[in-house]
Amino acid sequence: MTTHVRIVAASVSILLVGLLAACSSQVPALHETPCYVPTIECKPGQYSGVGLDTANVQSDGYRYHIDLLPSPVNSDFNDNAIVFLDQSHAAISAERTSRGAGRQPKRDADSIYEHQRLLLSTFGGDLQFSPLREVQGTDSLETVGACWYSVADGLLYFTAKAPNDDADDYDLYTARISVAGDIATLDDIKRLSSVDQPNAFDGQPTVSPNGLTLVFTSDRLGGYGGTDLWMSRRASVSVVWPEPTALPGPVNSECDEITPSFSRDGKNLFFASDGHATVGGYDLFSTTTDWKNVRNLGAPVNSQADEVFPYELSDSQFFYSSSQKADFKGMNLFEVRRTKIDRQVASADPRQLPDSIKLHGHVLLPKLDRSGSPEVFVRDVARDTEIARKPTDTTGAYAFTVQNGRQYDVGADVQDKFYDVHRVDLRHEAEPVVEVPPLSVPDTLVLRINFPFDDDAHPYDFVYDDGGKRSDTKWQTSLDLLAHSIKSSSSSLNRVLLYGHTDSLGTDEYNRALAMRRATFIARELEKRGIAAKLLVIASKGRTSPVARREGEDDETYRLRCRRVEFVKVFGKETTR
């Protein structure tokens, strides 16, 4: 049978789960499944309109930024959709293995669906996300995909695999969701039988703010061709959703319309389509809810890759997923942010912020010893790449010129010491010169690379600072910096001592073994980064050397600060600690 749904090869694994059936004329089908063939061939036009201007300050004083969301929301797995449940919790539909990030799932038909789950992350200011945890209560569901939280009726609407052998049969479900800390649980799970159609893909629900209109994606017969958007309207939130109808022709096309999402005020509907006029692949569109006007969101939001799962958090924040090339593999989540620029700055130069920024600062190092001046480096956070390095002057001062509109880690290291790093956020910077806080390079390095309970090979994504607060630095980046620091001392270095520590919970024997396993994991990671195994000496302190407890410190923060690996460089004759 001729097939019609075009799926970019890099995004097959995600678009299948919570998106559409595996029917493709460009890649092998993952399932030999009958596909609905439209009577009119899908022939999208080429979009050539004006897109979003991210380079200049607009006449109203706003500037737009597009940023790749950081880990742990994005990973080398496929990260499909994000929905915000409240002011501190987000649900992410993503591909994960049962052991979490770090092990790529298989790409065959028999295993692809089991990796799509619904995950929860807490977040704070400027969208700093915690490690993702799977939503509880979904064990009976084979696959859980895209979701939507409806404030009007207090229900979570989501996509899940139907309990049958039809690989492409997905249904709509509702559930009550409760959140305690970083644990979310679903209960009272029910299938939306009044709108579902057997042996069809029904998924990706969105509900209007008043709770009276449900729009979802379906490949059932009776549409306009391909996969279409269907709508059900009810009189009140207390009644059952009635039988749905397809949205009219100005919205649905002979191609695919997928991943609908209501705007925050309910006056517009966002969706993705490979029809209408596109930049390339699936593009993001919006339509007014009288369904008369359809607008392409334009470049650079849309690209030659696939853009799907739009979500408007506020009039200043918008999210979507894209298969465009990024720092993480697969599909990734992006944020479009609108910020108000100071009117004095905007009026002085109403169109242009500085293209480049001068970063300057000092390294505090009382004794330079035999190592001479410290070296200062700059890393591009989004690319996780060092872009510049040079020594300070004799007073410890330094200066770099960098591109505006990005985040940077500015750090210093010294041959016989370690390193210190500060993050500098220039995504919304209007000043041409920025001072970096003083850098102080330590003699002993302490890293708090935390692991899940009883795990010694899958650390949480970010390291923690001396105060027990999660930093913005990934553990892999910290070890990259540590490896560079060790290599810079190689000419006079005798040994690097690694001491593993745990908190006080558990027996001495258990904690000695756990600390040793975790320190061994860190040593093996350093070896992967080119550090000779003969340089690394591993020892376990277990729970015998806790840090000093601070006055009024809560148990969890104290225990987190105790869980650490300490590093000491040994020069000349080997010593012990």
Side-chain angles (χ1 to χ4, degrees):
M1 175 178 285
T2 304
T3 56
H4 68 281
V5 178
R6 178 176 44 76
I7 304 175
V8 174
S11 27
V12 167
S13 62
I14 31 181
L15 295 183
L16 281 172
V17 185
L19 229 126
L20 37 105
C23 310
S24 172
S25 59
Q26 298 186 18
V27 296
L30 295 182
H31 300 278
E32 294 301 323
T33 308
C35 301
Y36 173 64
V37 180
T39 56
I40 302 176
E41 185 180 357
C42 171
K43 292 183 177 180
Q46 182 64 43
Y47 178 77
S48 58
V50 177
L52 189 68
D53 184 357
T54 59
N56 301 296
V57 179
Q58 304 304 296
S59 59
D60 58 2
Y62 283 97
R63 188 179 184 187
Y64 292 86
H65 304 262
I66 299 179
D67 294 304
L68 177 71
L69 290 183
S71 174
V73 172
N74 278 318
S75 69
D76 284 338
F77 297 91
N78 290 308
D79 304 291
N80 306 338
I82 186 168
V83 168
F84 292 84
L85 305 176
D86 55 29
Q87 294 182 348
S88 58
H89 297 93
I92 293 96
S93 174
E95 187 183 48
R96 294 289 189 270
T97 68
S98 59
R99 292 298 299 271
R103 193 172 66 185
Q104 190 70 12
K106 297 177 182 178
R107 300 288 183 180
D108 56 72
D110 294 331
S111 65
I112 198 168
Y113 293 105
E114 66 185 80
H115 304 296
Q116 181 76 19
R117 306 303 295 174
L118 193 60
L119 308 170
L120 180 86
S121 180
T122 59
F123 63 91
D126 201 26
L127 296 182
Q128 297 298 308
F129 291 90
S130 70
L132 276 59
R133 303 190 65 168
E134 185 172 331
V135 173
Q136 306 297 303
T138 62
D139 294 345
S140 62
L141 301 172
E142 179 182 340
T143 294
V144 181
C147 74
W148 184 269
Y149 182 68
S150 171
V151 177
D153 56 14
L155 293 176
L156 187 78
Y157 291 71
F158 63 96
T159 312
K161 175 70 181 68
N164 57 37
D165 295 331
D166 184 347
D168 298 312
D169 187 2
Y170 279 75
D171 293 336
L172 295 170
Y173 289 81
T174 63
R176 297 288 177 183
I177 183 169
S178 59
V179 180
D182 59 355
I183 302 294
T185 304
L186 298 186
D187 55 36
D188 194 24
I189 297 176
K190 296 177 181 178
R191 185 172 69 90
L192 277 179
S193 56
S194 62
V195 298
D196 267 324
Q197 185 172 96
N199 304 114
F201 176 89
D202 297 311
Q204 305 157 6
T206 182
V207 179
S208 60
N210 63 9
L212 303 183
T213 303
L214 166 70
V215 178
F216 62 97
T217 302
S218 181
D219 63 359
R220 64 183 68 191
L221 296 178
Y224 287 74
T227 305
D228 291 314
L229 302 183
W230 290 70
M231 175 181 65
S232 176
R233 278 183 170 161
R234 60 185 179 181
S236 74
V237 296
S238 61
V239 301
V240 174
W241 291 103
E243 184 177 349
T245 57
L247 291 185
V251 178
N252 283 318
S253 71
E254 295 82 15
C255 301
D256 292 322
E257 280 69 47
I258 57 177
T259 65
S261 172
F262 274 105
S263 62
R264 299 302 288 177
D265 59 10
K267 296 179 180 179
N268 294 276
L269 182 79
F270 301 102
F271 64 97
S273 174
D274 65 350
H276 304 287
T278 71
V279 177
Y282 287 93
D283 276 11
L284 298 180
F285 295 82
S286 70
T287 178
T288 51
T289 49
D290 58 7
W291 319 123
K292 293 181 179 180
N293 300 297
V294 173
R295 180 177 68 92
N296 189 306
L297 298 192
V301 172
N302 288 318
S303 69
Q304 291 293 320
D306 290 330
E307 281 73 45
V308 293
F309 287 111
Y311 183 86
E312 185 183 66
L313 178 60
S314 68
D315 61 359
S316 297
Q317 286 179 284
F318 182 84
F319 299 84
Y320 63 97
S321 183
S322 176
S323 64
Q324 63 185 270
K325 187 176 180 180
D327 297 308
F328 302 99
K329 298 176 183 177
M331 295 291 286
N332 291 290
L333 290 162
F334 290 80
E335 175 196 17
V336 181
R337 182 189 293 266
R338 184 180 75 159
T339 56
K340 189 72 171 179
I341 303 301
D342 183 89
R343 288 195 174 273
Q344 291 184 348
V345 174
S347 61
D349 187 355
R351 296 292 298 169
Q352 191 72 43
L353 286 176
D355 290 328
S356 60
I357 301 289
K358 180 181 178 182
L359 298 175
H360 72 99
H362 283 77
V363 179
L364 304 178
L365 192 64
K367 295 182 180 180
L368 298 182
D369 302 323
R370 58 183 172 275
S371 58
S373 297
E375 286 193 333
V376 180
F377 56 86
V378 180
R379 294 179 65 92
D380 186 305
V381 173
R383 297 187 177 97
D384 198 18
T385 303
E386 184 175 301
I387 61 172
R389 175 181 286 266
K390 64 183 177 182
T392 68
D393 65 16
T394 56
T395 68
Y398 65 88
F400 291 93
T401 299
V402 297
Q403 179 185 351
N404 197 5
R406 305 185 69 83
Q407 290 187 94
Y408 299 95
D409 283 335
V410 181
D413 55 24
V414 180
Q415 182 178 359
D416 61 348
K417 298 179 184 293
F418 286 96
Y419 64 87
D420 188 20
V421 178
H422 283 299
R423 177 152 297 180
V424 181
D425 190 345
L426 304 182
R427 289 178 295 178
H428 319 298
E429 185 57 55
E431 296 298 326
V433 179
V434 172
E435 183 174 0
V436 181
L439 296 163
S440 179
V441 182
D443 293 304
T444 300
L445 180 69
V446 177
L447 284 182
R448 290 179 179 84
I449 299 178
N450 276 34
F451 296 77
F453 176 73
D454 206 25
D455 189 311
D456 52 40
H458 302 88
Y460 289 129
D461 286 334
F462 295 93
V463 300
Y464 287 76
D465 63 21
D466 290 339
K469 182 180 178 182
R470 199 201 74 184
S471 74
D472 297 320
T473 304
K474 291 186 285 189
W475 68 266
Q476 295 95 332
T477 301
S478 292
L479 292 185
D480 290 344
L481 295 173
L482 176 59
H484 186 281
S485 176
I486 293 172
K487 291 175 183 177
S488 70
S489 306
S490 59
S491 61
S492 56
L493 190 63
N494 182 289
R495 291 284 188 272
V496 177
L497 308 181
L498 286 75
Y499 295 97
H501 298 262
T502 68
D503 58 32
S504 60
L505 299 178
T507 65
D508 286 343
E509 182 180 1
Y510 175 85
N511 280 292
R512 276 196 300 271
L514 181 62
M516 179 61 78
R517 293 198 305 271
R518 290 176 174 172
T520 300
F521 170 83
I522 299 300
R524 299 297 171 261
E525 288 293 320
L526 289 173
E527 290 176 34
K528 293 177 184 178
R529 290 160 171 78
I531 304 302
K534 64 181 181 181
L535 279 178
L536 304 175
V537 177
I538 306 167
S540 172
K541 296 283 188 176
R543 64 177 191 173
T544 61
S545 300
V547 298
R549 188 159 189 161
R550 295 168 176 165
E551 184 177 353
E553 187 173 27
D554 63 86
D555 289 343
E556 183 56 35
T557 303
Y558 174 65
R559 290 168 184 157
L560 189 149
R561 291 199 305 114
C562 288
R563 300 193 295 266
R564 66 203 190 277
V565 178
E566 294 182 339
F567 301 86
V568 179
K569 289 181 180 178
V570 177
F571 296 91
K573 199 175 210 179
E574 183 178 347
T575 63
T576 58
R577 239 171 129 249

